Amino acid sequence: MRAWTSPEVPDLSELGLGRGSAVQVFDTASGALATVDPEERARLYVCGITPYDATHLGHAATYLTFDLLQRAWRDRGLEVVYTQNITDVDDPLLERATATGVAWTDLAEREIQLFREDMAALRILAPDHYVGAVESIDLAIALVERLRDRGVTYEVDGDVYFSVDADPDFGGVSGYDRETMLRLFAERGGDPDREGKRDPLDCLLWQAERPGEPSWDSPFGPGRPGWHVECASIALETLGHDFDVQGGGTDLVFPHHEMSAAEAQVATETRFARTYVHQAMVAFEGEKMSKSLGNLVLVSRLRADGHDPSAIRLALLAHHYRTPWEWADDEIVDAQKRLARWRDAFAAGGSEAAPVVDAIRAALAHDLDTPRAVAAVDAWVDAALAGGGAGDHDPASGRVVGAAVDALLGVA
Ligand code: 5CA
Ligand code: ZN
């Protein structure tokens, strides 16, 4: 699939600012900070959208978090290989298409295009591999065949299931107890109560064709892949196993990331990802912002209302990715004011650039601490705008701090 055009990222080392330090992020699987500092190349997979409605601020927060991780890695001097999928065939998409009387393919195409425009406006780095479920059905089939050959699958009325207990490390991503797993599985698209399953937690690998739904031929009969096998197979194909970071929102910890990892680990007999990083949920009107609930603040709506995309980005940056928060309308007002002050100060210049650049780098390297990075820039900006007779005013420093804010925080 075509992605979108990435923004230019200034190389701070070319401005005489050296390089950033090794990046630490919180790893859900180990429950601790992990240093993710591979030799030359960092490999990242982030779970992409199910394109049945427009990009909301929760999605934007998730993709921004992994954009910042990539910026920190690049500032470190690493090459980044980044894959994102698109769940362009799945139950909610088909249901919405039927309910609104549009072809499911047209609905997906329209929402993917809007997502591209939102991501480009927010200056989010584009994936190197932007892969749809539909265009990678063959990959999913190949992974299901591998699992079948290992004897860890079985059929229930033509549907193919994966035995989760085939992975000795099952549970290692979420760390949840069985009761929690059963509850979340039922809430998030699983079918714990289906008759004929060997373990209520076993998940669907291949769903046999249902009347009126799209299907593809396979060695298991016509049908379509399960959700988890989509991400497992796309990640293995584009990044290989044992890649650096599997990312997404906390709503994907279980079952999605647990199941994708288990499927891939049983097929390859090696670890799927080294680290699992999750963005906390952004809420609105008291609940998780979600397409199914409809309590959405859309990026495209804010843009259409005339808000600078960099202000939307700054509003999100004011929150740490691991802290759940609720959108309120004054967030964008505050961000707009902050953006104006920052731009004034970058034009005017201020004190020496290196200390504030170091502070931004240190904040990001320590678990992508954006509130701390924003506070460091605020302090420099406040001093710059207060001016006064300080002897260390350097008109050129504004350009350098502006470049660092652009490179590291993506704010133009
Ligand atoms: N297609 C699947 C992933 S394979 C999916 O979850 N799609 S989605 O459109 O529902 O969500 C896209 C991404 O945004 C996922 O990484 C999800 O975890 C994240 N996300 C969804 N809602 C929120 C929210 N309210 N706050 C933060 N992140 C969210
Ligand atoms: Zn996924």
PDB file of all heavy atoms in Angstrom, residues 165-193:
ATOM      1  N   ASP A 165      -1.779 -22.977  24.059  1.00  0.00           N
ATOM      2  CA  ASP A 165      -0.813 -23.616  24.971  1.00  0.00           C
ATOM      3  C   ASP A 165       0.378 -24.221  24.227  1.00  0.00           C
ATOM      4  O   ASP A 165       1.308 -24.737  24.847  1.00  0.00           O
ATOM      5  CB  ASP A 165      -1.490 -24.619  25.914  1.00  0.00           C
ATOM      6  CG  ASP A 165      -1.980 -25.865  25.198  1.00  0.00           C
ATOM      7  OD1 ASP A 165      -1.682 -26.035  23.992  1.00  0.00           O
ATOM      8  OD2 ASP A 165      -2.674 -26.680  25.850  1.00  0.00           O
ATOM      9  N   ALA A 166       0.389 -24.106  22.889  1.00  0.00           N
ATOM     10  CA  ALA A 166       1.559 -24.550  22.130  1.00  0.00           C
ATOM     11  C   ALA A 166       2.756 -23.627  22.376  1.00  0.00           C
ATOM     12  O   ALA A 166       3.902 -24.014  22.142  1.00  0.00           O
ATOM     13  CB  ALA A 166       1.235 -24.589  20.640  1.00  0.00           C
ATOM     14  N   ASP A 167       2.488 -22.411  22.809  1.00  0.00           N
ATOM     15  CA  ASP A 167       3.593 -21.479  23.096  1.00  0.00           C
ATOM     16  C   ASP A 167       3.898 -21.507  24.585  1.00  0.00           C
ATOM     17  O   ASP A 167       3.092 -21.046  25.393  1.00  0.00           O
ATOM     18  CB  ASP A 167       3.211 -20.057  22.661  1.00  0.00           C
ATOM     19  CG  ASP A 167       4.328 -19.055  22.960  1.00  0.00           C
ATOM     20  OD1 ASP A 167       5.466 -19.491  23.225  1.00  0.00           O
ATOM     21  OD2 ASP A 167       4.056 -17.836  22.925  1.00  0.00           O
ATOM     22  N   PRO A 168       5.059 -22.037  24.954  1.00  0.00           N
ATOM     23  CA  PRO A 168       5.398 -22.096  26.383  1.00  0.00           C
ATOM     24  C   PRO A 168       5.455 -20.710  27.029  1.00  0.00           C
ATOM     25  O   PRO A 168       5.307 -20.588  28.245  1.00  0.00           O
ATOM     26  CB  PRO A 168       6.778 -22.770  26.417  1.00  0.00           C
ATOM     27  CG  PRO A 168       7.279 -22.780  25.010  1.00  0.00           C
ATOM     28  CD  PRO A 168       6.106 -22.606  24.090  1.00  0.00           C
ATOM     29  N   ASP A 169       5.641 -19.677  26.202  1.00  0.00           N
ATOM     30  CA  ASP A 169       5.708 -18.314  26.746  1.00  0.00           C
ATOM     31  C   ASP A 169       4.375 -17.582  26.680  1.00  0.00           C
ATOM     32  O   ASP A 169       4.321 -16.361  26.899  1.00  0.00           O
ATOM     33  CB  ASP A 169       6.763 -17.498  25.999  1.00  0.00           C
ATOM     34  CG  ASP A 169       8.162 -18.001  26.295  1.00  0.00           C
ATOM     35  OD1 ASP A 169       8.373 -18.482  27.424  1.00  0.00           O
ATOM     36  OD2 ASP A 169       9.016 -17.941  25.391  1.00  0.00           O
ATOM     37  N   PHE A 170       3.294 -18.314  26.353  1.00  0.00           N
ATOM     38  CA  PHE A 170       1.990 -17.637  26.268  1.00  0.00           C
ATOM     39  C   PHE A 170       1.677 -16.946  27.593  1.00  0.00           C
ATOM     40  O   PHE A 170       1.791 -17.565  28.661  1.00  0.00           O
ATOM     41  CB  PHE A 170       0.881 -18.642  25.919  1.00  0.00           C
ATOM     42  CG  PHE A 170      -0.463 -17.986  25.784  1.00  0.00           C
ATOM     43  CD1 PHE A 170      -0.755 -17.175  24.697  1.00  0.00           C
ATOM     44  CD2 PHE A 170      -1.434 -18.134  26.780  1.00  0.00           C
ATOM     45  CE1 PHE A 170      -1.987 -16.541  24.576  1.00  0.00           C
ATOM     46  CE2 PHE A 170      -2.667 -17.502  26.669  1.00  0.00           C
ATOM     47  CZ  PHE A 170      -2.936 -16.703  25.560  1.00  0.00           C
ATOM     48  N   GLY A 171       1.274 -15.687  27.524  1.00  0.00           N
ATOM     49  CA  GLY A 171       1.042 -14.894  28.739  1.00  0.00           C
ATOM     50  C   GLY A 171       2.191 -13.951  29.028  1.00  0.00           C
ATOM     51  O   GLY A 171       2.076 -13.055  29.861  1.00  0.00           O
ATOM     52  N   GLY A 172       3.291 -14.146  28.323  1.00  0.00           N
ATOM     53  CA  GLY A 172       4.496 -13.368  28.610  1.00  0.00           C
ATOM     54  C   GLY A 172       4.436 -11.916  28.166  1.00  0.00           C
ATOM     55  O   GLY A 172       5.196 -11.086  28.662  1.00  0.00           O
ATOM     56  N   VAL A 173       3.558 -11.591  27.252  1.00  0.00           N
ATOM     57  CA  VAL A 173       3.468 -10.191  26.813  1.00  0.00           C
ATOM     58  C   VAL A 173       2.656  -9.387  27.824  1.00  0.00           C
ATOM     59  O   VAL A 173       3.094  -8.349  28.308  1.00  0.00           O
ATOM     60  CB  VAL A 173       2.823 -10.081  25.405  1.00  0.00           C
ATOM     61  CG1 VAL A 173       2.603  -8.623  25.028  1.00  0.00           C
ATOM     62  CG2 VAL A 173       3.694 -10.781  24.368  1.00  0.00           C
ATOM     63  N   SER A 174       1.461  -9.891  28.156  1.00  0.00           N
ATOM     64  CA  SER A 174       0.570  -9.131  29.042  1.00  0.00           C
ATOM     65  C   SER A 174       0.867  -9.373  30.514  1.00  0.00           C
ATOM     66  O   SER A 174       0.665  -8.494  31.341  1.00  0.00           O
ATOM     67  CB  SER A 174      -0.885  -9.510  28.759  1.00  0.00           C
ATOM     68  OG  SER A 174      -1.105 -10.870  29.105  1.00  0.00           O
ATOM     69  N   GLY A 175       1.287 -10.599  30.838  1.00  0.00           N
ATOM     70  CA  GLY A 175       1.467 -10.970  32.240  1.00  0.00           C
ATOM     71  C   GLY A 175       0.143 -11.120  32.980  1.00  0.00           C
ATOM     72  O   GLY A 175       0.118 -11.192  34.205  1.00  0.00           O
ATOM     73  N   TYR A 176      -0.978 -11.171  32.260  1.00  0.00           N
ATOM     74  CA  TYR A 176      -2.294 -11.263  32.913  1.00  0.00           C
ATOM     75  C   TYR A 176      -2.566 -12.676  33.410  1.00  0.00           C
ATOM     76  O   TYR A 176      -2.099 -13.655  32.829  1.00  0.00           O
ATOM     77  CB  TYR A 176      -3.414 -10.877  31.939  1.00  0.00           C
ATOM     78  CG  TYR A 176      -3.403  -9.437  31.487  1.00  0.00           C
ATOM     79  CD1 TYR A 176      -3.937  -9.090  30.251  1.00  0.00           C
ATOM     80  CD2 TYR A 176      -2.878  -8.423  32.288  1.00  0.00           C
ATOM     81  CE1 TYR A 176      -3.939  -7.764  29.821  1.00  0.00           C
ATOM     82  CE2 TYR A 176      -2.885  -7.108  31.865  1.00  0.00           C
ATOM     83  CZ  TYR A 176      -3.413  -6.784  30.632  1.00  0.00           C
ATOM     84  OH  TYR A 176      -3.417  -5.485  30.208  1.00  0.00           O
ATOM     85  N   ASP A 177      -3.375 -12.765  34.469  1.00  0.00           N
ATOM     86  CA  ASP A 177      -3.813 -14.087  34.915  1.00  0.00           C
ATOM     87  C   ASP A 177      -4.953 -14.557  33.999  1.00  0.00           C
ATOM     88  O   ASP A 177      -5.503 -13.792  33.208  1.00  0.00           O
ATOM     89  CB  ASP A 177      -4.229 -14.067  36.395  1.00  0.00           C
ATOM     90  CG  ASP A 177      -5.353 -13.077  36.663  1.00  0.00           C
ATOM     91  OD1 ASP A 177      -6.153 -12.797  35.748  1.00  0.00           O
ATOM     92  OD2 ASP A 177      -5.435 -12.568  37.794  1.00  0.00           O
ATOM     93  N   ARG A 178      -5.286 -15.811  34.129  1.00  0.00           N
ATOM     94  CA  ARG A 178      -6.241 -16.431  33.211  1.00  0.00           C
ATOM     95  C   ARG A 178      -7.621 -15.768  33.254  1.00  0.00           C
ATOM     96  O   ARG A 178      -8.261 -15.562  32.228  1.00  0.00           O
ATOM     97  CB  ARG A 178      -6.362 -17.926  33.547  1.00  0.00           C
ATOM     98  CG  ARG A 178      -6.965 -18.694  32.419  1.00  0.00           C
ATOM     99  CD  ARG A 178      -6.933 -20.185  32.667  1.00  0.00           C
ATOM    100  NE  ARG A 178      -7.930 -20.786  31.815  1.00  0.00           N
ATOM    101  CZ  ARG A 178      -7.724 -21.120  30.534  1.00  0.00           C
ATOM    102  NH1 ARG A 178      -6.542 -20.942  29.988  1.00  0.00           N
ATOM    103  NH2 ARG A 178      -8.694 -21.644  29.822  1.00  0.00           N
ATOM    104  N   GLU A 179      -8.019 -15.380  34.457  1.00  0.00           N
ATOM    105  CA  GLU A 179      -9.336 -14.749  34.595  1.00  0.00           C
ATOM    106  C   GLU A 179      -9.395 -13.427  33.812  1.00  0.00           C
ATOM    107  O   GLU A 179     -10.362 -13.149  33.104  1.00  0.00           O
ATOM    108  CB  GLU A 179      -9.568 -14.495  36.090  1.00  0.00           C
ATOM    109  CG  GLU A 179     -10.991 -14.237  36.467  1.00  0.00           C
ATOM    110  CD  GLU A 179     -11.077 -13.868  37.954  1.00  0.00           C
ATOM    111  OE1 GLU A 179     -10.280 -14.408  38.752  1.00  0.00           O
ATOM    112  OE2 GLU A 179     -11.913 -13.020  38.281  1.00  0.00           O
ATOM    113  N   THR A 180      -8.345 -12.640  33.941  1.00  0.00           N
ATOM    114  CA  THR A 180      -8.280 -11.371  33.208  1.00  0.00           C
ATOM    115  C   THR A 180      -8.253 -11.631  31.703  1.00  0.00           C
ATOM    116  O   THR A 180      -8.927 -10.946  30.917  1.00  0.00           O
ATOM    117  CB  THR A 180      -7.029 -10.575  33.632  1.00  0.00           C
ATOM    118  OG1 THR A 180      -7.023 -10.487  35.052  1.00  0.00           O
ATOM    119  CG2 THR A 180      -6.999  -9.194  33.022  1.00  0.00           C
ATOM    120  N   MET A 181      -7.481 -12.635  31.314  1.00  0.00           N
ATOM    121  CA  MET A 181      -7.410 -12.964  29.879  1.00  0.00           C
ATOM    122  C   MET A 181      -8.794 -13.329  29.339  1.00  0.00           C
ATOM    123  O   MET A 181      -9.183 -12.864  28.263  1.00  0.00           O
ATOM    124  CB  MET A 181      -6.471 -14.148  29.666  1.00  0.00           C
ATOM    125  CG  MET A 181      -5.007 -13.828  29.822  1.00  0.00           C
ATOM    126  SD  MET A 181      -4.056 -15.306  29.389  1.00  0.00           S
ATOM    127  CE  MET A 181      -2.407 -14.762  29.755  1.00  0.00           C
ATOM    128  N   LEU A 182      -9.510 -14.152  30.083  1.00  0.00           N
ATOM    129  CA  LEU A 182     -10.833 -14.597  29.618  1.00  0.00           C
ATOM    130  C   LEU A 182     -11.786 -13.409  29.477  1.00  0.00           C
ATOM    131  O   LEU A 182     -12.531 -13.310  28.510  1.00  0.00           O
ATOM    132  CB  LEU A 182     -11.414 -15.633  30.580  1.00  0.00           C
ATOM    133  CG  LEU A 182     -10.791 -17.031  30.455  1.00  0.00           C
ATOM    134  CD1 LEU A 182     -11.175 -17.914  31.639  1.00  0.00           C
ATOM    135  CD2 LEU A 182     -11.208 -17.693  29.140  1.00  0.00           C
ATOM    136  N   ARG A 183     -11.717 -12.501  30.443  1.00  0.00           N
ATOM    137  CA  ARG A 183     -12.593 -11.329  30.399  1.00  0.00           C
ATOM    138  C   ARG A 183     -12.254 -10.453  29.195  1.00  0.00           C
ATOM    139  O   ARG A 183     -13.133 -10.078  28.412  1.00  0.00           O
ATOM    140  CB  ARG A 183     -12.442 -10.529  31.702  1.00  0.00           C
ATOM    141  CG  ARG A 183     -13.295  -9.277  31.756  1.00  0.00           C
ATOM    142  CD  ARG A 183     -13.238  -8.604  33.125  1.00  0.00           C
ATOM    143  NE  ARG A 183     -11.878  -8.273  33.571  1.00  0.00           N
ATOM    144  CZ  ARG A 183     -11.171  -7.237  33.143  1.00  0.00           C
ATOM    145  NH1 ARG A 183     -11.665  -6.421  32.234  1.00  0.00           N
ATOM    146  NH2 ARG A 183      -9.945  -7.007  33.603  1.00  0.00           N
ATOM    147  N   LEU A 184     -10.966 -10.159  29.014  1.00  0.00           N
ATOM    148  CA  LEU A 184     -10.573  -9.272  27.917  1.00  0.00           C
ATOM    149  C   LEU A 184     -10.789  -9.930  26.562  1.00  0.00           C
ATOM    150  O   LEU A 184     -11.123  -9.266  25.572  1.00  0.00           O
ATOM    151  CB  LEU A 184      -9.110  -8.846  28.074  1.00  0.00           C
ATOM    152  CG  LEU A 184      -8.837  -7.923  29.250  1.00  0.00           C
ATOM    153  CD1 LEU A 184      -7.340  -7.655  29.386  1.00  0.00           C
ATOM    154  CD2 LEU A 184      -9.580  -6.592  29.089  1.00  0.00           C
ATOM    155  N   PHE A 185     -10.605 -11.230  26.511  1.00  0.00           N
ATOM    156  CA  PHE A 185     -10.803 -11.949  25.250  1.00  0.00           C
ATOM    157  C   PHE A 185     -12.254 -11.802  24.798  1.00  0.00           C
ATOM    158  O   PHE A 185     -12.534 -11.519  23.626  1.00  0.00           O
ATOM    159  CB  PHE A 185     -10.439 -13.427  25.454  1.00  0.00           C
ATOM    160  CG  PHE A 185     -10.267 -14.211  24.186  1.00  0.00           C
ATOM    161  CD1 PHE A 185      -9.474 -13.747  23.151  1.00  0.00           C
ATOM    162  CD2 PHE A 185     -10.893 -15.453  24.023  1.00  0.00           C
ATOM    163  CE1 PHE A 185      -9.306 -14.485  21.983  1.00  0.00           C
ATOM    164  CE2 PHE A 185     -10.738 -16.195  22.866  1.00  0.00           C
ATOM    165  CZ  PHE A 185      -9.946 -15.708  21.836  1.00  0.00           C
ATOM    166  N   ALA A 186     -13.179 -11.950  25.756  1.00  0.00           N
ATOM    167  CA  ALA A 186     -14.605 -11.811  25.432  1.00  0.00           C
ATOM    168  C   ALA A 186     -14.930 -10.371  25.011  1.00  0.00           C
ATOM    169  O   ALA A 186     -15.719 -10.138  24.102  1.00  0.00           O
ATOM    170  CB  ALA A 186     -15.456 -12.214  26.633  1.00  0.00           C
ATOM    171  N   GLU A 187     -14.285  -9.397  25.681  1.00  0.00           N
ATOM    172  CA  GLU A 187     -14.580  -7.984  25.388  1.00  0.00           C
ATOM    173  C   GLU A 187     -13.992  -7.516  24.058  1.00  0.00           C
ATOM    174  O   GLU A 187     -14.503  -6.592  23.439  1.00  0.00           O
ATOM    175  CB  GLU A 187     -13.963  -7.092  26.478  1.00  0.00           C
ATOM    176  CG  GLU A 187     -14.788  -6.999  27.735  1.00  0.00           C
ATOM    177  CD  GLU A 187     -14.025  -6.258  28.839  1.00  0.00           C
ATOM    178  OE1 GLU A 187     -13.160  -5.407  28.542  1.00  0.00           O
ATOM    179  OE2 GLU A 187     -14.295  -6.557  30.006  1.00  0.00           O
ATOM    180  N   ARG A 188     -12.894  -8.127  23.656  1.00  0.00           N
ATOM    181  CA  ARG A 188     -12.145  -7.592  22.511  1.00  0.00           C
ATOM    182  C   ARG A 188     -12.089  -8.563  21.336  1.00  0.00           C
ATOM    183  O   ARG A 188     -11.015  -8.902  20.839  1.00  0.00           O
ATOM    184  CB  ARG A 188     -10.738  -7.206  22.958  1.00  0.00           C
ATOM    185  CG  ARG A 188     -10.743  -6.102  24.005  1.00  0.00           C
ATOM    186  CD  ARG A 188      -9.356  -5.807  24.516  1.00  0.00           C
ATOM    187  NE  ARG A 188      -9.357  -4.723  25.502  1.00  0.00           N
ATOM    188  CZ  ARG A 188      -8.323  -4.434  26.293  1.00  0.00           C
ATOM    189  NH1 ARG A 188      -7.210  -5.130  26.197  1.00  0.00           N
ATOM    190  NH2 ARG A 188      -8.393  -3.447  27.166  1.00  0.00           N
ATOM    191  N   GLY A 189     -13.234  -9.017  20.925  1.00  0.00           N
ATOM    192  CA  GLY A 189     -13.328  -9.760  19.664  1.00  0.00           C
ATOM    193  C   GLY A 189     -13.072 -11.254  19.745  1.00  0.00           C
ATOM    194  O   GLY A 189     -13.146 -11.940  18.727  1.00  0.00           O
ATOM    195  N   GLY A 190     -12.756 -11.778  20.930  1.00  0.00           N
ATOM    196  CA  GLY A 190     -12.531 -13.222  21.047  1.00  0.00           C
ATOM    197  C   GLY A 190     -13.840 -13.977  21.259  1.00  0.00           C
ATOM    198  O   GLY A 190     -14.913 -13.373  21.366  1.00  0.00           O
ATOM    199  N   ASP A 191     -13.768 -15.305  21.302  1.00  0.00           N
ATOM    200  CA  ASP A 191     -14.981 -16.125  21.417  1.00  0.00           C
ATOM    201  C   ASP A 191     -14.775 -17.240  22.450  1.00  0.00           C
ATOM    202  O   ASP A 191     -14.812 -18.429  22.118  1.00  0.00           O
ATOM    203  CB  ASP A 191     -15.340 -16.721  20.048  1.00  0.00           C
ATOM    204  CG  ASP A 191     -14.188 -17.485  19.421  1.00  0.00           C
ATOM    205  OD1 ASP A 191     -13.091 -17.531  20.035  1.00  0.00           O
ATOM    206  OD2 ASP A 191     -14.366 -18.062  18.336  1.00  0.00           O
ATOM    207  N   PRO A 192     -14.547 -16.861  23.729  1.00  0.00           N
ATOM    208  CA  PRO A 192     -14.224 -17.873  24.739  1.00  0.00           C
ATOM    209  C   PRO A 192     -15.314 -18.920  24.926  1.00  0.00           C
ATOM    210  O   PRO A 192     -15.019 -20.036  25.347  1.00  0.00           O
ATOM    211  CB  PRO A 192     -14.019 -17.052  26.021  1.00  0.00           C
ATOM    212  CG  PRO A 192     -14.709 -15.756  25.769  1.00  0.00           C
ATOM    213  CD  PRO A 192     -14.609 -15.501  24.305  1.00  0.00           C
ATOM    214  N   ASP A 193     -16.558 -18.566  24.607  1.00  0.00           N
ATOM    215  CA  ASP A 193     -17.661 -19.487  24.902  1.00  0.00           C
ATOM    216  C   ASP A 193     -18.031 -20.407  23.746  1.00  0.00           C
ATOM    217  O   ASP A 193     -18.988 -21.178  23.859  1.00  0.00           O
ATOM    218  CB  ASP A 193     -18.902 -18.682  25.336  1.00  0.00           C
ATOM    219  CG  ASP A 193     -18.612 -17.866  26.586  1.00  0.00           C
ATOM    220  OD1 ASP A 193     -17.825 -18.353  27.430  1.00  0.00           O
ATOM    221  OD2 ASP A 193     -19.132 -16.741  26.703  1.00  0.00           O
TER     222      ASP A 193
END
